[in-house]
Amino acid sequence: MPVPKQVIENGAIFPLNRSKDSARVLYVSAIALKLAKTWQQTPQTIAAQLAETLEPLCYPDFAVKVAPAGIIEMELTDAGLAVWLQRLAQTNLPVLESRILSSVVSADRLFPIQYSHARCCSLLRMAHRDRIISIAQPDVATAPEIWSLASPNPIPWIDEGDRLRLVHPAERRLISQLLTVLDNLYPNFEVKNREQPVNYFKLANSLSEAFQIFYSQCRIWGEVKIEQPKLAQARLGLILATQSLLRFIIEDLLNDIAPLEL
């Protein structure tokens, strides 16, 4: 469920820009400011009208509100994040209509990204062995597009209070980076929507770095496994999503090998 860079409603285009706040998945639009002179109304009035139209269309995935100065905010809710993460962790990415490969990346620059992918695979196999999760086909010869989960399915992203379990800053940063990758890749899934060239290596490298920080700060085994098994499973779901995107970029876009182990 990548978020498009614009919303189209009744022929009207609402351009969206991603907020830099990694703690929230927030998209903003200043369309009301641009329409104020033409419509001869205040930006706040126009934004309120647009938000009223958008709110039922976006619920329950997005919460829509009007910020000061007439800026429209669309924030991905915990429920929306859970749906998006589940799809990313357990659904293959679309096949590109035509592959636009990146320029060749040297082995030493690519190695940290390949290492992150291999680490994801290793953690998933360990979790299967320790019965935290159950993978349908854990023993594979090459990196799968998706590690199919037999259980838990769905992954317990949401806690008993209907809130996302993943609240640690490193978890939120990794989620934010996963979204950044898809936001940048989304136009490339359809030739007609393709925009400016994407630096696939930079995307993969940023995702790899976010994963390494997450892995160093967010435990899965030990006390977490014993006392908070659903949190451990949610963190493994985040690893599933990360592995899927890293494999896609390494093999499909950088035209290299996504190793299972290093």
Side-chain angles (χ1 to χ4, degrees), residues 164-177:
L164 196 72
R165 296 182 191 277
L166 305 172
V167 296
H168 189 283
E171 294 168 337
R172 303 302 294 205
R173 177 178 175 178
L174 181 53
I175 291 172
S176 177
Q177 194 57 47

Side-chain angles (χ1 to χ4, degrees), residues 241-259:
T242 302
Q243 181 272 331
S244 174
L245 273 187
L246 284 176
R247 187 218 62 79
F248 180 80
I249 298 176
I250 294 170
E251 293 192 346
D252 291 25
L253 300 176
L254 297 178
N255 201 30
D256 215 303
I257 297 172

Side-chain angles (χ1 to χ4, degrees), residues 82-130:
V83 171
W84 175 77
L85 285 168
Q86 181 68 24
R87 289 179 181 173
L88 182 58
Q90 291 290 265
T91 306
N92 293 338
L93 289 174
V95 177
L96 293 175
E97 293 189 13
S98 63
R99 291 172 36 148
I100 299 181
L101 300 178
S102 173
S103 55
V104 176
V105 179
S106 62
D108 60 328
R109 296 180 69 208
L110 192 58
F111 178 80
I113 301 170
Q114 291 174 312
Y115 173 80
S116 289
H117 179 272
R119 193 61 184 149
C120 286
C121 295
S122 175
L123 291 169
L124 293 172
R125 288 195 302 267
M126 288 171 59
H128 172 82
R129 182 193 64 202
D130 291 351

Side-chain angles (χ1 to χ4, degrees), residues 45-56:
T45 300
I46 296 172
Q49 294 172 357
L50 295 176
E52 186 177 358
T53 300
L54 288 171
E55 191 169 14

